[in-house]
Amino acid sequence: KVPAPIFKNSYRDLALHYSLADEFPATYKIGKNLPPDYFEKPEFFKQKQLEGYLLLFEQIIANFLKDLHELKHSLSWETVQNTNFQATDNNWRRSQLLAENVDQKWQNIIQPELKFLKKRNENLGFLLSRFAENLEELDNFFYLSTDNLKINEGEYLKSLIDLKQKFLTNYISISANRGAAVDYYAQKEYLKTSISGYEDRISKLLGAELLKNGNRKKTTDIDITDKNERGYFHLLEHLMLRMPVISDDIWLQPKAQNITIEQLSICTDDDCTACGGHDPFSFTASIALPAWLPIYADVHYRDYIETLIRRETPIGVLLRICWINEESMKTYEQKLEEWWTAKYNLYYSKLDTYNTNLIEFIKKQNSLIVDLKSHRSEYFKATLHGCEDEGEENNSRIFLGKTFLGLPDKPI
């Protein structure tokens, strides 16, 4: 057999540019053919004008070559400062022909900051499409919240770029672990429990960080004055709220203390629509989101988030999504943490501690279920408007099932 040929690779610096002025015949006295006393003799000033004229076109050609050289970075998810570049690292540039700060002026002409942010956002959208991911809806609906965040167009685009870069950077983990579960008994503390693949993917799509300093985020970690705060949420599978099997002899002690078992609502009628079905545990989950954050202060953006969460949820799972206020979230987090610890202690109980831990677990679970059933979504305030408001943009319109009727800010 004839061995396959071995090709020797050779590196080519695509950004390398050779001056056009150097290619002119010596009679033009420009480029490499400059005479020694070029600057002293006025008769050579015409040649200096010619080379200065060529410098404009030289820079344009060199910039194009620089763009080709940097394309591997421009079409990547690493942080870049520009997608169009001005070349400054070649010997062809005649320093004596360049004015002060000319490089920055060139860069501002080639690609102003706002133009760069728009182009960079488009490039990242292209990269996402290669993985069959589309965040265009997020672009549109997140824009509705920019007034609430008091950010300008540049800051808005930077937020989108940061979100998309983080999503792409972590895409291997997001994709491979999207079905990854959580070992509920691996950590005694709820805040130290790792997040599931489902939670990770949704949070990355929304740009919401669920972790802070390695722990799950909670209400006290939120700074509503931070324009980059994109929220968080808590997910709870109802299957975890099922009571363990308790024998009659073990049940005697809780029963003697008049401790009952609180359950999620269960329907017994044939027409079981109000409570959500005969079994409120299997294939059911609750998601609690912070309603008080400025990022969520737009009814359309909330609708998009709910649609996104349901779209990412397995088709057989029924979701209960609640937007709760700050005080409700604090209470919920406290009861969730206490219940989590009680459930852990019960699972690892020994014979001499089982009964005590069981009673504690029942109390904490009862408290959590009562709180869970009390959750009601916080609606936006809507007001009736007088005729003078007709034709103006009305951000407090009435949406059925999404707003409550409040008092107007000024008399009608």
Side-chain angles (χ1 to χ4, degrees), residues 23-162:
E23 304 299 323
F24 277 70
T27 186
Y28 283 87
K29 295 182 175 58
I30 61 174
K32 63 183 179 181
N33 297 306
L34 288 176
D37 48 0
Y38 178 79
F39 292 103
E40 284 71 29
K41 295 185 178 182
E43 60 265 28
F44 292 137
F45 285 1
K46 291 183 179 180
Q47 284 84 346
K48 184 177 180 181
Q49 290 176 344
L50 174 58
E51 189 165 10
Y53 172 77
L54 291 175
L55 181 65
L56 172 65
F57 301 97
E58 298 258 32
Q59 187 73 62
I60 293 175
I61 296 172
N63 290 347
F64 174 74
L65 295 175
K66 182 73 171 179
D67 288 348
L68 289 180
H69 180 74
E70 297 292 340
L71 187 62
K72 59 182 179 293
H73 301 297
S74 300
L75 288 179
S76 72
W77 45 79
E78 62 186 54
T79 302
V80 297
Q81 302 301 322
N82 302 100
T83 56
N84 295 119
F85 300 85
Q86 63 99 17
T88 62
D89 51 356
N90 290 320
N91 294 327
W92 61 268
R93 302 178 86 237
R94 314 299 181 189
S95 59
Q96 66 270 18
L97 299 178
L98 301 177
E100 187 177 356
N101 298 324
V102 67
D103 292 338
Q104 187 57 48
K105 292 177 181 178
W106 262 112
Q107 187 61 61
N108 293 337
I109 293 172
I110 293 170
Q111 192 173 48
E113 183 183 19
L114 193 59
K115 182 179 178 181
F116 158 70
L117 294 175
K118 292 179 179 179
K119 184 64 177 178
R120 180 61 176 160
N121 197 42
E122 292 175 358
N123 287 352
L124 292 172
F126 166 74
L127 291 175
L128 285 166
S129 69
R130 302 300 299 267
F131 300 104
E133 302 286 355
N134 185 359
L135 297 185
E136 293 302 317
E137 281 185 296
L138 175 66
D139 290 19
N140 298 331
F141 286 101
F142 176 53
Y143 184 76
L144 299 173
S145 295
T146 56
D147 288 340
N148 303 318
L149 298 176
K150 295 181 174 58
I151 62 177
N152 54 39
E153 185 179 7
E155 292 173 315
Y156 156 70
L157 290 171
K158 287 178 182 178
S159 296
L160 287 178
I161 290 171
D162 183 62

Side-chain angles (χ1 to χ4, degrees), residues 60 80 167 185 208 353 372 374 399-400:
I60 293 175
V80 297
F167 186 81
Y185 301 105
T353 60
L372 190 64
S374 69
F399 292 90
L400 190 62

Side-chain angles (χ1 to χ4, degrees), residues 239-277:
L239 188 64
M240 295 182 63
L241 298 174
R242 277 184 168 175
M243 285 295 300
V245 178
I246 304 174
S247 60
D248 293 338
D249 57 330
I250 296 178
W251 176 243
L252 291 176
Q253 187 174 352
K255 190 175 181 180
Q257 300 182 33
N258 294 322
I259 297 176
T260 59
I261 296 178
E262 187 74 33
Q263 296 280 6
L264 292 171
S265 302
I266 300 177
C267 291
T268 56
D269 300 331
D270 292 335
D271 184 14
C272 194
T273 58
C275 302

